[in-house]
């Protein structure tokens, strides 16, 4: 499995890029610079997230880690679904500033938990 370190590296790199790209978009919105939606920043996060999840799926196949068996991984997937919904709301200009602000905090908190679970892999 000599490609495993590369696969894990891709998963980790795209994971950190996901966090960076979310913070960047939230920061631009907060500064009133909502025009990023007309730039490549509109689709780059989707491309990055597709690679992140593809690498995650291959990791599950090639490692012994399994959702529903290792609960840190199950929790990570549930948090990921919550992060996707909260992130979508946080970046939705049709929602009020208050709703977007709360959604942004919820999204970032879930992302933090995903990272903590990934790094510590607690045995619950
Ligand atoms: C936003 C979503 C995600 C983020 C930010 C993320 C982040 C990370 C990070 C940083 C690591 C490396 C931890 C370390 O060992 O230092 C990792 C490992 C891992 N991730 Fe993810 N991940 C995400 C989604 C997923 C999903 C959806 C799955 C499974 C379907 C998954 C499966 C795995 C597995 C199996 C490992 C362990 C690899 C190993 O140590 O051999 N990840 N993740």
């Amino acid at each position: 499995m000599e490609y495993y370190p590369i696969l894990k590296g891709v998963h980790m790199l795209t994971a950190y890029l996901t966090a960076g790209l979310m913070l960047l978009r939230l920061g631009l919105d907060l500064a009133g610079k909502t025009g990023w939606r007309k730039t490549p920043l509109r689709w780059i996060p989707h491309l990055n997230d597709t690679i992140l999840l593809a690498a995650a799926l291959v990791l599950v196949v090639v490692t012994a880690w399994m959702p529903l068996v290792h609960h840190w991984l199950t929790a990570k997937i549930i948090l990921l679904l919550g992060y996707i919904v909260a992130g979508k709301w946080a970046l939705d200009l049709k929602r009020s500033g208050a709703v977007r602000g709360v959604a942004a905090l919820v999204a970032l908190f879930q992302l933090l938990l995903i990272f903590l679970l990934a790094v510590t892999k607690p045995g619950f």
Side-chain angles (χ1 to χ4, degrees), residues 4 8 11-12 15-16 18 52-53 56-57 59-60 63 65 67 72-73 76-77 80 83 111 114-115 118-119 121:
Y4 165 76
K8 188 169 171 181
H11 184 64
M12 289 176 69
Y16 291 113
T18 279
L52 169 72
L53 292 181
L57 290 180
L59 273 177
V60 168
T63 66
W65 299 116
W72 67 271
L73 196 49
K76 214 174 137 178
I77 294 169
L80 173 67
Y83 168 71
L111 193 57
I114 292 175
F115 272 102
V119 172
K121 304 182 180 63

Side-chain angles (χ1 to χ4, degrees), residues 33-91:
K33 298 182 191 312
T34 56
W36 60 263
R37 289 170 177 80
K38 294 191 182 82
T39 73
L41 198 50
R42 184 185 176 84
W43 55 264
I44 288 173
H46 297 300
L47 176 65
N48 181 67
D49 292 349
T50 305
I51 299 170
L52 169 72
L53 292 181
L57 290 180
V58 184
L59 273 177
V60 168
V61 172
V62 304
T63 66
W65 299 116
M66 279 170 66
L68 301 178
V69 175
H70 302 105
H71 297 312
W72 67 271
L73 196 49
T74 315
K76 214 174 137 178
I77 294 169
I78 294 168
L79 283 164
L80 173 67
L81 298 177
Y83 168 71
I84 292 170
V85 174
K88 219 169 144 41
W89 280 41
L91 295 172

